[in-house]
Structures are given as structure tokens and as C-alpha cells.
Amino acid sequence: MTHYLSLILFTPLVGACLLLVTPREKEDAIRWIANIFAGAGFAISIPLWYWFNPQNADFQLVERAPWIPSIGAEYFLGVDGLSTLLILLTTLIGFIAVLSSWTAITERVKEYYTFLLVLQTGMLGAFMSLDFLLFFLFWEVMLVPMYFLIGIWGSANRLYSAIKFFLYTLVGSVIMLLGILALYFYAHSVTGVYSFDVTAFQQLNLPVNLQWWIFLAFFLGFAVKVPMFPFHTWLPDAHTDAPTAGSVILAAVMLKMGTYGFLRFSLPILPDGTRAFVPLMAVLSIVGIVYGALVALAQKDWKRLVAYSSVSHMAMIMLGMFALNPVGITGSIVQQLNHGISTGALFLLVGVVYERRHTREIAEYGGLSKIMPVYAAIFLIMTMSSIGLPALNGFIGELLILQGVFVASRMWALFAGSGVVLGAAYMLYLYQRTMFGKVENPKNLHLLDISHREFATFAPLLVLAVWIGLYPAPFLRRLDGSVQRIVARVSPQYSPTYAALGCGGAPTPQMIAANGAARFLQSVPCGPDGRPLVAAESAAR
Amino acid sequence: MPAGLAISDFYYILPELVITGGALLLLVADVLLPVARAAAAAGAGADGLTERHRRRTQILSWITLGVIGATVLSLAPFADTHVEVAGGLIAVDRFALFFKVVFLAAAALTVLMSTRYLEIEGASPGEYYFLVLCATLGMMVMAGGIDLVTIFIGLETMAVSFYILAGFIKPSQRSNEAAVTYFLLGAFSLGILLYGMSLMYGLSGTTSLRTMAVAFAGQPRDPRLVLAVILVVAGIGFKIGAVPFHMWAPDVYEGAPTPITAYLSVGSKAASFAMLLRIFLEGLPATSADWRLLFEVLSIVTMTVGNVAALTQTNLKRMLAYSSIAHAGYVLMGVVAGTPRGVSAMLIYLLIYAFMQLGAFAVIVMMRRRDVVGDELKDYSGLSARNPLAAFAMLLFMLSLGGIPPTAGFMGKFWLFGAAIDAGYVWLAVIGVLNSAISLYYYVRVVVFMYLKTEAIGSEPAFSAPLGVVVGVTLAATIVLGVYPRLLFEAAEASARTLGVAGTAIALK
């Protein structure tokens, strides 16, 4: 199966090409083709869950072919645990987004689905690429379809929001491109080989001041995408004005590009730069957590509220990552998945009522739980998941992040904790205003509860929310290799203690004491160096 | 130094001879064609006349394409040649070959888009195509010239042809104004260039660039030479449309017939860059510190002013004029780098730029109807609904000009920035990328009109087979070179290496 990743990658694109040659009047045929290809894309990607070997910390399912040999660029794909999970999230969310649009989109159907499918390929490519130029190519490919999705099918202020999204992201990423080039030429001066191979970059030891500059360049690219305070201002506009599927993809997958970028590139390639920037990143994250939550509390627009909650949650993910210890990083990855699941679902939920009422004003609603009981139940579960209620996915992520942050700094943990509390406040306040109370608006009296098709879009997210909440071990197991590779670069103090502990056996109490994630492992996987892949943190201190 | 021509020299300048012969043949055919010339002069007259004019235009354009095809074929024997011929007046090398291919491809595409345009405007096709071929000949001589005299002759041949072509739509006031502007400013700048060249000659005692490089090598810094450099930079700056010598560009671009605007912005610009590289990298490597600084400033100012000015334009041709000024600024980054990588990046960029720019102009030509000029932004409102193919093509050309992958424009820009960073000009690259982000604002504005505005104001685009070929070829090139640019990168690298005597002149650092 050497071309397995390419197969996943290009399935949506084939669908898009097929749509291009379909006559635009045949709207139902177009919908079917798009749904079939998005569904097939998801189905094809499922074996990835099984074929990915968590015991092997190397990149797997690698495909390598020359692309532009004269500059050393390659068509180089491969996955580790981190990208495996994000790819699966992408194919699932992509399918859900396509499925959710069946009745919501009635104009320019052909173009809509074409853009969605092209976007899907762009996102998958970014998660799979191990060649930095190829990564950048896919990274930028995402921009244009998203611009159109917001600009054509968005709501009132769409033109402004679309161009704002476009230019913000673009400025960040072109600066990142310069960082990539600087890295490329420096790598050549050391190794004598022109190459964009990320796995080779991860083994370089760059001079500290160069790392500092390249980190700054990457930071601009990734921080805009995350988005970190103060680069977040495009997000509420883009989210609010995008069509439902656009918001879902934006929140569930595209924001993860930023965090993925930090984990895949900034941290392992530029460990010294990363450590130098920890205070800044922590401050920006904390500001983001608190500010995002407070602003969310004040929103009158349902979708805008969810958008600001994203700012807060993504900041939490960044804080966990920049704790720079195994638990924090594991937590930040798990929370990326959780955020994709819960915020994706929340945007879908807004979309459901928006399609019926064409307003997002929270004040327009109230008492919906009586009229749409199934809807209210799903909304409740997803609200709880977003808040971090135990037994649901959000709890696992937040717990791991808080654990990691606590080890790094108790002061940070205090702020992160306040974010959790505020998160509960704005979500429950939203739920109360929309679902409970009397039905005061007569327009709401005859709203239909969700249809089977709509339920189908929520079902997988509900399953995942419960699964991760109750039994996250399969996810954590897949992440261990990636997390340890990052930690070995960025926090080597976690490494020397490996030798003292065996690998392959059950996790020892020290491991569990040091790394909360370890308790979920049946056997501790071995790293590439033959040492166990769970760091013993207390031993290092 | 040239002591007469040998017989073998005529073999090496075969492509130039073919195109000259072809151009003359075209003039003869124009006279001999049994169609009343009144048809052309009368323009939109009786139906019979326009029909005959149409046939005549088509026949002549086929002849022109034949000439260009024959010239391309005559380039084939020189694919791996690297010699100086005609006593050191002309070099036949990969560098020249690369540019000649660019010129001929651009010329062929220009001819294809002109057919319909000439029919609508009712302009005389014979002289038009003759001048296009002459301009191409001039460019070819400029790319091959390694002697100031040869380069200047090539430049004049090209420039004079363009002066006439810019004013070719005689009834149009805009076209006349364009021609006069271009002629006056062009003549002035040529004077400045010539003054700089004469200083170079006076100081070195030779017009041959390669001999000059040897003469200047190791000499102490001479203020007269610095003055010569400044004058030559100013003269060439005019030709490539660099700020502050760009004033002519928007008016000329807007006024000239659209296919000529396209050819001017692609061919003339590429040829001027070829001349620039020959003069500075082959002739004046000794003063590289001076001219690098000049070009660095010029590059920054050019791209910034070009992009900022383009932001507010509502006429597409004018906007593309400012954008082409900005693109000259990007390409200058390669000169500043001055390394073989910089040169190869320039070659790559100029070729890619040729395709995307010609493609964009082809779409504009498509919008030209008898009563609508079709170059105002609002003419493109709702184009995606009226003609999805034209809108899609324009979308990709705009994205490519803005440098968004997976289009070719990204590959070109990426490698130019790479060359600048490699040569240590990080800040220049930073300014470059910020500029390219600014530029997207106005490229995307075209897209906004085509896709996001639904009210259809403009006319139905007129699709014709030759225009379809132009759009198809440029579109294919824009995509293929963006996704799989391998062959282009290899060709450009090989070509850049042959600039200068066995690469010695180019090894600056």
C-alpha cells in the first residue's frame, strides 16, 4: 500500500474534477457526487487507524518521489500519530460538512461542492506533507476555496470577512515562507544537500539566533491560523459570515493547521527558539483564554459566541503545548481533536436553527428544548463536551493540559483553570437562553426537530465525544511516538531517565505519576532509541 | 574589433535571418493579397468589406505564425551551442536561447489574440504583423548581444516597432496619446542610456562587454564609471518600467491595442531584462557593489509603488500596468542577488510571467466587443455566471500573478525570494513578500467582481478559436508549471550558467 496516502489525498480532488464536468443544472446529481466522494474519502481513510503502527515512532506509510530535483523538493508524504488523528478528523469533518449542506445550499451548487472538495485535498495534503515546500503549497491551496466559501455563500458582511480572512492568513504565511527558505539555505550550508525534507530539518542543530528569527517567521504564519491573540480578529468575522459547512471546517480542521504547524515544525526544528519564546507564547495564550471567554460571554450572536469560544479553547491548546512537557503536549493534541469534534458540532447546531429561522440572534430563540427535544439533547451533550464535563471528550483534553501546565507553572494553571470556569459560564448561559424557558417567539413554535440526515451528521461526533471521554487509550497510544519525538527535541531533560525504565511492559507507578497519559497504556511503547516512550518527569526534577 | 563577418556567422544567426526574411515576406504578401486595401481603411463598412477584411487578417496571421514557427525550428540546431559569433558582437548560448523561446512564444500568442482584435478595430493587419515580427527580431538581438552596439541596435529595432504599434488604432485618441507618450519618453530614455553607454566605451575603449569586464577588473573606483552605471540603470529602468521611470507605463498600457499591451508588458520587459543582465553581469561585474545598491533601492521602490498604485485602479489594463511595474520590482531582486541562482530565478519568473500576463490579456481581448472596450473592472461583474470558463481562466491568472500555489506564479516568486535570501538580502525578500500580499488585494478584487458580484453588467465575452488556443495554452502553462515545474527549473539553471564567459563574470561574491 505504498500509495495509500495519495489515495486519501486525491479522492476529494477527483470528485472535484468530476463535478467540474457535470452540468450545473443537475443539482441533485452534483450533491450525490460530492457526498459520495466525501463519504468515500472518509471510508478510504478508516484503515489508516489500523494500519498506523503506534509502536513505531517513525513516519509511516511514506511515499517519496522527486518533484523538482534541481532544488531538492520532493513529493514526500508520511504520517505519525499526530497527523494520523488529524487526517481522520479531516476526512470525517469534510464528509459531515458536505452532508450538512444538502438543503442549506441552493445557489451555485456546483461551485460550492467543488470548492469544498478542493479545500479537503488542501487540508489533507498539509497534514501529510513531510516536504516543507509541498506543505506550503497545500497550506496556501486551502486559502482560495475558503475565501470563496465565505465570500459567495456567506451572510451579510461576507465580502469584508472573506478578504480579511484571506489577507490575514496570507501575510502570515508569506512570512513563514521566508522562514522556510532561510531554513532551507542554512540546512544546505551544513549538510551540502538542497532539500526541504522535514525529517532532516528535525535533526539539525541551528544557531540560536537563527532559530529565533525562523521561529518568529513561523510564528506569524501559524499564530494567525490558530488564531492566537492578537491575531485573532479575522476569526469572529470569518466564522460568523461563513456558511455552516465553512464554519465547521474552519473551526474543526483549519484552526488545527496552526497548532499542527507548531508541533510539526516550530517545536522539533527550532527547540532553542521555542524555549526562548515560551514566556511570550504563554502570555499570549493566557490573554487569549481569558479575553476570548469574556468576549464570548458578552455576545448576542449565537455563532459569534461559538467563534470567540474557539479563540479561548485554541489558546488553551497553545498553553498546553508550550508547557513543553509530555503531558501538556499530549493534552494539547487530544484537545485539538476534541475542539474539532465539539466546536464542529456546535457550528452544525447553529446551522440547523439558522437554516430554519435565518437569524443567529440569541434573543430570537428561547425554549427550544420543548419544540426540538432531540436537537436540545444533542446540543446539551456538545455543550458539556465543550465545557469539559467528565465522561466526555473535553474533560480528558483539559485535564491533561491542566496537568501539563501545572507542572510548568502554577500561575499559568490558575489562568487556564479560570478559562475552564468561564467556558462553563458562557456555554451554559447560551444554553439557558436558547433552550430553556418559555417559547416567547411565536416564529419558533413550529420549528421542526432535526431530520435523519441532520442526525447523521451529528452521530459520529457524538460517538467520538463519548468514546474519547470514556476510553481515550487508543488515541493516546497513537500519539505517544509523536509526542516523544517532539519532547526529545524541545525538552531533552525528559529523556535521560528513559534508560532506567523498561519498555514494552505495563506502565510503572513512576511513569503514571510523571505522565498522566501513561495510565491509559496497556504497554509502554519503545522509542526509536529503545527506551520507553513515556517520560518520567518526576525523576528529572 | 569586429573585422568583418565570416560565412559561418550567417549560420549562427540563422533564426534572426529567418525572422527577418519572414517579416519581409509578410510585407510582400500584404501587398500581393488580392483584397482591396480600402476594406481595411474603411473599417466597419459594408458587410462584404468587413468579411474580406476578416479573411485577409486571417491569412496574414497564418503567415505570421508560420514565420514564428520556422524561427523556432531554426533555433533547434543551437540547443547546446555556446559560441561568440560575428567577431564578438553576438553570443549564441543557452541564455540567449531561453529568451528567444520566451519571445517567440509570446509573439505567437500575441498574434493569435490579435486576429479578432484587428477585425473589430478594422486596422490594417499587414503592417501590424510586420511590426510584431520586427519587435521580436529586436528582442532576439538584444538577448544575444554581447556588444553595446548590437544591444542598442536590437533595442532600437524593438522600441521603434512598439512606438508605432502603440498608436496603431488611429481613430482612438487614447491610442494616439499612448504612442506619443511612449515615443517621447522612450526617445529621451534611449538618449540617457546611450550617454551611459558612451561613457562606458570612453572609459574602457571597447564596446564589447566581455572585453570591458576585463578592462574594468581590478581598477580603482572611478566616479565617471559610477555615473555611467547610473545613466545606464536609468535608461534600462525606463524600459522595464521601474519606478521612478515608470510614468509612461499606465497610459501606454491603457491606450495601446490590448494585444500590443500584452506583448509590450511581456516581450519588451523580458528583452530589457536580458539586456540588463548582459550589460551588468557580463560587462560591469567590477562595479557590482554600486549597481547592486542601485537595483536594490530600485527594486524596493518599484514593487512598493507599483502595488500601492494598482490598489485603486478601476481599469483592468491600467491595473495590470501597475502590476507589471510591481513585477519588474520582483524580478529586479534576482539582479540584486546577482548569483547564478538569482539569474535562473529571473529566467523562470520571466517565462512564467509571460504566460500568466498574456493569459490575462487574452481574457481582456475576449471582452472586447464592437461597442464595449471591456477593460473596466465592472465589465467583469458576474462573469462567472455568464462565461464560467473565461472567469475560471482569469481567476487562475490573477492568483498566479499574486503568487498563490498551485499556480506557476508561486513557483516563480518563491524562487526569486529564495535567491534573495540565499544572497543575504533577507530584508529585500521580506519587503517582497509583504508586497506580494498587498498585491493580492487588487488581484482578488477582479475575482470579487467575477465571482462574488451577481449583477451582470458587462458584455458577453466573445469566444473565438484562436483566443481559445491562447487561453488554453496559457492556462495549461500556468497550472503545469505550478504543479510540476521540474523541466523549467532545469532549463533555467542550465541557461543561467552560460551567462558570461564560462561563468567567470557571474561569480561575483
Side-chain angles (χ1 to χ4, degrees), chain B residues 52-104:
Chain B
R52 269 184 287 168
H53 180 237
R54 207 174 65 80
R55 285 241 316 277
R56 184 188 170 77
T57 311
Q58 273 170 358
I59 294 170
L60 288 171
S61 69
W62 278 115
I63 296 178
T64 318
L65 284 178
V67 172
I68 294 171
T71 315
V72 172
L73 285 181
S74 69
L75 284 174
F78 310 109
D80 277 316
T81 317
H82 187 163
V83 290
E84 289 177 23
V85 297
L89 284 175
I90 287 184
V92 178
D93 52 16
R94 287 289 296 265
F95 178 80
L97 182 81
F98 189 94
F99 272 103
K100 286 173 189 173
V101 171
V102 175
F103 302 148
L104 290 167

Side-chain angles (χ1 to χ4, degrees), chain B residues 16-217:
Chain B
E16 283 82 358
L17 292 178
V18 170
I19 199 166
T20 314
L24 295 174
L25 184 77
L26 188 80
L27 271 190
V28 174
D30 185 37
V31 178
L32 291 186
L33 267 183
V35 189
R37 290 186 64 86
D47 278 353
L49 282 180
T50 32
E51 175 56 27
R52 269 184 287 168
H53 180 237
R54 207 174 65 80
R55 285 241 316 277
R56 184 188 170 77
T57 311
Q58 273 170 358
I59 294 170
L60 288 171
S61 69
W62 278 115
I63 296 178
T64 318
L65 284 178
V67 172
I68 294 171
T71 315
V72 172
L73 285 181
S74 69
L75 284 174
F78 310 109
D80 277 316
T81 317
H82 187 163
V83 290
E84 289 177 23
V85 297
L89 284 175
I90 287 184
V92 178
D93 52 16
R94 287 289 296 265
F95 178 80
L97 182 81
F98 189 94
F99 272 103
K100 286 173 189 173
V101 171
V102 175
F103 302 148
L104 290 167
L109 293 170
T110 308
V111 170
L112 280 170
M113 37 170 142
S114 302
T115 321
R116 243 192 61 81
Y117 196 85
L118 288 174
E119 285 164 20
I120 291 179
E121 299 291 354
S124 151
E127 289 137 28
Y128 179 91
Y129 288 134
F130 171 73
L131 288 168
V132 169
L133 289 180
C134 281
T136 315
L137 170 66
M139 294 173 197
M140 289 168 66
V141 174
M142 282 164 83
I146 48 168
D147 189 287
L148 290 179
V149 175
T150 331
I151 290 178
F152 192 78
I153 290 173
L155 180 61
E156 274 293 68
T157 312
M158 177 189 83
V160 171
S161 309
F162 273 123
Y163 298 150
I164 308 171
L165 283 170
F168 211 75
I169 313 292
K170 280 170 222 142
S172 158
Q173 208 167 359
R174 282 204 302 182
S175 181
N176 285 322
E177 186 195 330
V180 174
T181 315
Y182 192 34
F183 173 67
L184 288 179
L185 287 173
F188 186 61
S189 79
L190 278 176
I192 294 176
L193 178 69
L194 207 51
Y195 192 44
M197 284 181 167
S198 63
L199 274 175
M200 282 165 71
Y201 170 65
L203 291 169
S204 65
T206 172
T207 54
S208 160
L209 289 168
R210 289 175 182 177
T211 322
M212 200 182 283
V214 179
F216 286 137

Side-chain angles (χ1 to χ4, degrees), chain B residues 109 355 359 362-363 366 393 397 463 465-480:
Chain B
L109 293 170
F355 282 115
V363 177
M366 231 184 243
F397 295 137
F463 209 76
L467 268 179
V469 171
V470 177
V471 174
V473 168
T474 49
L475 194 61
T478 307
I479 297 171
V480 171

Side-chain angles (χ1 to χ4, degrees), chain B residues 322-396:
Chain B
Y322 281 111
S323 117
S324 106
I325 291 170
H327 283 273
Y330 303 136
V331 180
L332 277 176
M333 289 168 58
V335 188
V336 177
T339 52
R341 174 169 292 121
V343 176
S344 80
M346 289 172 70
L347 299 188
I348 291 168
Y349 199 81
L350 286 169
L351 180 93
I352 288 172
Y353 174 75
F355 282 115
M356 56 199 188
Q357 181 89 348
L358 287 171
F361 275 108
V363 177
I364 299 179
V365 172
M366 231 184 243
M367 302 296 288
R368 176 80 173 92
R369 304 299 299 267
R370 212 171 279 288
D371 45 348
V372 189
V373 183
D375 57 1
E376 291 294 326
L377 256 182
K378 61 176 169 24
D379 294 333
Y380 293 79
S381 181
L383 185 66
S384 75
R386 283 178 288 144
N387 190 329
L389 273 177
F392 179 70
M394 197 64 166
L395 164 68
L396 279 184

Side-chain angles (χ1 to χ4, degrees), chain A residues 67 108 140 147 159 170 185 194, chain B residues 341 384 418 440 448 451 483:
Chain A
W67 176 31
R108 302 170 83 172
E140 295 266 277
Y147 169 80
L159 285 183
L170 189 84
F185 287 116
Y194 283 117
Chain B
R341 174 169 292 121
S384 75
L440 267 153
V448 168
Y451 279 85
V483 176

Side-chain angles (χ1 to χ4, degrees), chain A residues 85 90 127-128 202 211 220-221 248 292 320 335 348 404 406 489 512:
Chain A
L85 294 183
T90 309
F127 286 136
M128 289 174 186
Q202 291 186 349
Q211 286 198 27
L220 282 174
V248 171
Q335 191 64 0
L348 278 175
F406 191 81
R489 287 284 289 173
I512 294 172

Side-chain angles (χ1 to χ4, degrees), chain A residues 289-423:
Chain A
I289 292 174
V290 178
Y291 170 82
L294 288 178
V295 178
L297 209 50
Q299 291 306 311
K300 296 192 170 69
D301 182 311
W302 192 334
K303 222 170 172 185
R304 233 179 156 77
L305 190 153
V306 181
Y308 273 107
S309 84
S310 268
V311 174
S312 181
H313 283 160
M314 292 307 287
M316 178 87 107
I317 290 170
M318 290 307 297
L319 190 63
M321 185 193 302
F322 274 81
L324 299 187
N325 52 39
V327 201
I329 294 176
T330 309
S332 102
I333 302 174
V334 173
Q335 191 64 0
Q336 285 177 42
L337 300 175
N338 295 338
H339 179 262
I341 293 164
S342 60
T343 311
L346 287 174
F347 276 118
L348 278 175
L349 286 159
V350 187
V352 168
V353 287
Y354 183 75
E355 206 182 319
R356 287 160 173 67
R357 282 287 323 277
H358 295 284
T359 175
R360 295 181 308 254
E361 283 287 308
I362 296 171
E364 287 276 322
Y365 299 98
L368 291 190
S369 63
K370 298 186 187 66
I371 303 158
M372 307 170 75
V374 181
Y375 177 84
I378 296 174
F379 189 18
L380 183 66
I381 295 172
M382 283 309 168
T383 300
M384 294 306 166
S385 149
S386 175
I387 292 172
L389 192 80
L392 287 172
N393 57 348
F395 173 70
I396 305 294
E398 282 184 353
L399 181 77
L400 291 173
I401 288 181
L402 287 176
Q403 208 176 342
V405 171
F406 191 81
V407 172
S409 154
R410 295 182 187 190
M411 186 55 88
W412 298 2
L414 189 68
F415 285 108
S418 78
V420 177
V421 176
L422 285 170

